[in-house]
Amino acid sequence: MVRQPAVAGKFYTGDPDRLREELSAMVPQWEAQSALGIIAPHAGYVYSGKVAGKVYAAVRIPDTVLVLGPNHTGAGSAAALSPDTEWLTPLGTVPVNRRLSQLILEHAPLVREDALAHRFEHSLEVQVPFLQYRNPGVSIAAICLAIPDFPSISRIGEGIAKAIAAYGEEVLIVASSDMTHFESAVQAKAKDDLALAQLADMSPEGLLRVCRDKGITMCGVIPAAVMMVAAKALGATSCRLVHYATSGEVNGDLRNVVAYASLLVS
């Protein structure tokens, strides 16, 4: 089973040559470091591609990557692991790592194989061309998440950490998230600073709480919290902001923006 691209030609170009050119422009030539996790945005590349590109430039992409994204469509299971054998993008196919996927199913029992949640979901798909560009030999596992409560989030994160430990090779966890939606740039920055402070403190529970208490519309707060739980269990001790920007910097409308942040966890 091949997961077909749902947003090629919409969120990013469907032309492979043009896509490579755009990725080359978005990903600077930086010295990359190993990391346990990153947070990268998932809007159309014209808006968030440079923010994502900077964290993909800063991190070394190993041969195995676990991508976590929110469920925007409401379809499928609340913690849905892609059962497909490959994901197709304009740059070609990326194999699904079945060994890591099976280990996740073994160690994180709340996770279920479910293709429906992934069929039209853009948040995971838009990360894949960046991964292909940085490591053409990459394989992935992919989980679409809509688990609302922290105890379940923690269980999934801890299960992922056990699965990665059992896998025995380097795995990068990519959490896909945008930040505040449809507020002024000033209001978005004030709210997002509260969420970013919880990330800097390595507090996934605090992140979930502040987003709910302060009405911060960080759509990938659940994947980010799961990634943070897993990364901490695997030994992560720091989370640093790589870049922050808003859609207003592209279209000039600072009264009604979507904000984007990229972070590196090591």
Side-chain angles (χ1 to χ4, degrees), residues 110 147-158 202-209 212 221-222 224-230 232:
L110 293 177
I147 295 284
D149 63 291
F150 187 72
S152 297
I153 287 169
S154 185
R155 285 180 64 195
I156 292 172
E158 290 167 0
M202 304 284 288
S203 177
E205 187 170 14
L207 174 66
L208 193 67
R209 184 186 305 114
R212 289 179 175 169
V221 61
I222 293 168
V226 169
M227 180 275 288
M228 187 66 74
V229 169
K232 288 178 69 176

Side-chain angles (χ1 to χ4, degrees), residues 157-228:
E158 290 167 0
I160 285 171
K162 290 177 182 176
I164 290 173
Y167 184 70
E169 300 176 31
E170 185 181 1
V171 176
L172 175 69
I173 308 172
V174 174
S176 182
S177 182
D178 296 336
M179 300 299 292
T180 290
H181 291 61
F182 309 127
E183 298 192 40
S184 72
V186 171
Q187 291 170 325
K189 182 65 164 57
K191 286 188 171 184
D192 289 339
D193 280 347
L194 299 174
L196 294 171
Q198 294 299 320
L199 287 164
D201 287 343
M202 304 284 288
S203 177
E205 187 170 14
L207 174 66
L208 193 67
R209 184 186 305 114
V210 76
C211 285
R212 289 179 175 169
D213 290 351
K214 301 299 184 180
I216 302 168
T217 51
M218 179 183 178
C219 57
V221 61
I222 293 168
V226 169
M227 180 275 288
M228 187 66 74

Side-chain angles (χ1 to χ4, degrees), residues 17 39 43-44 86 127 143 159-160 185:
D17 293 332
I39 297 174
E86 294 177 317
Q127 308 298 339
I143 305 176
I160 285 171

Side-chain angles (χ1 to χ4, degrees), residues 4-262:
Q4 299 293 322
V7 294
K10 299 174 184 177
F11 279 60
Y12 58 96
T13 179
D15 179 84
D17 293 332
R18 186 175 158 202
L19 180 55
R20 288 188 188 92
E21 290 177 4
E22 292 182 0
L23 288 163
S24 177
M26 291 185 293
V27 181
Q29 295 297 312
W30 287 352
E31 185 175 346
Q33 69 176 82
S34 293
L36 290 164
I38 63 171
I39 297 174
H42 56 239
Y45 285 4
V46 65
Y47 288 108
S48 69
K50 289 184 179 179
V51 180
K54 287 182 178 179
V55 78
Y56 278 110
V59 67
R60 195 180 74 80
I61 305 299
D63 290 339
T64 309
V65 175
L66 171 61
V67 186
L68 309 176
N71 187 327
H72 287 90
T73 68
S77 300
L81 178 72
S82 173
D84 295 306
T85 58
E86 294 177 317
W87 280 43
L88 179 64
T89 81
L91 300 183
T93 56
V94 174
V96 169
N97 191 300
R98 295 310 304 168
R99 184 162 72 90
L100 179 59
S101 295
Q102 284 301 125
L103 286 167
I104 290 169
L105 292 172
E106 290 174 21
H107 291 281
L110 293 177
V111 176
R112 301 280 188 273
E113 282 195 314
D114 181 1
L116 182 60
H118 291 273
R119 186 171 300 164
F120 301 111
E121 178 56 53
H122 67 275
S123 65
L124 299 101
E125 177 182 329
V126 298
Q127 308 298 339
V128 179
F130 282 101
L131 296 171
Q132 289 174 290
Y133 177 74
R134 292 284 285 110
N135 181 354
V138 73
S139 66
I140 64 169
I143 305 176
C144 191
L145 292 161
I147 295 284
D149 63 291
F150 187 72
S152 297
I153 287 169
S154 185
R155 285 180 64 195
I156 292 172
E158 290 167 0
I160 285 171
K162 290 177 182 176
I164 290 173
Y167 184 70
E169 300 176 31
E170 185 181 1
V171 176
L172 175 69
I173 308 172
V174 174
S176 182
S177 182
D178 296 336
M179 300 299 292
T180 290
H181 291 61
F182 309 127
E183 298 192 40
S184 72
V186 171
Q187 291 170 325
K189 182 65 164 57
K191 286 188 171 184
D192 289 339
D193 280 347
L194 299 174
L196 294 171
Q198 294 299 320
L199 287 164
D201 287 343
M202 304 284 288
S203 177
E205 187 170 14
L207 174 66
L208 193 67
R209 184 186 305 114
V210 76
C211 285
R212 289 179 175 169
D213 290 351
K214 301 299 184 180
I216 302 168
T217 51
M218 179 183 178
C219 57
V221 61
I222 293 168
V226 169
M227 180 275 288
M228 187 66 74
V229 169
K232 288 178 69 176
L234 291 165
T237 58
S238 70
C239 176
R240 69 175 177 91
L241 179 66
V242 176
H243 194 63
Y244 179 89
T246 73
S247 58
E249 296 170 40
V250 176
N251 62 18
D253 182 3
L254 299 178
R255 297 169 299 175
N256 190 36
V257 306
V258 179
Y260 316 109
S262 54

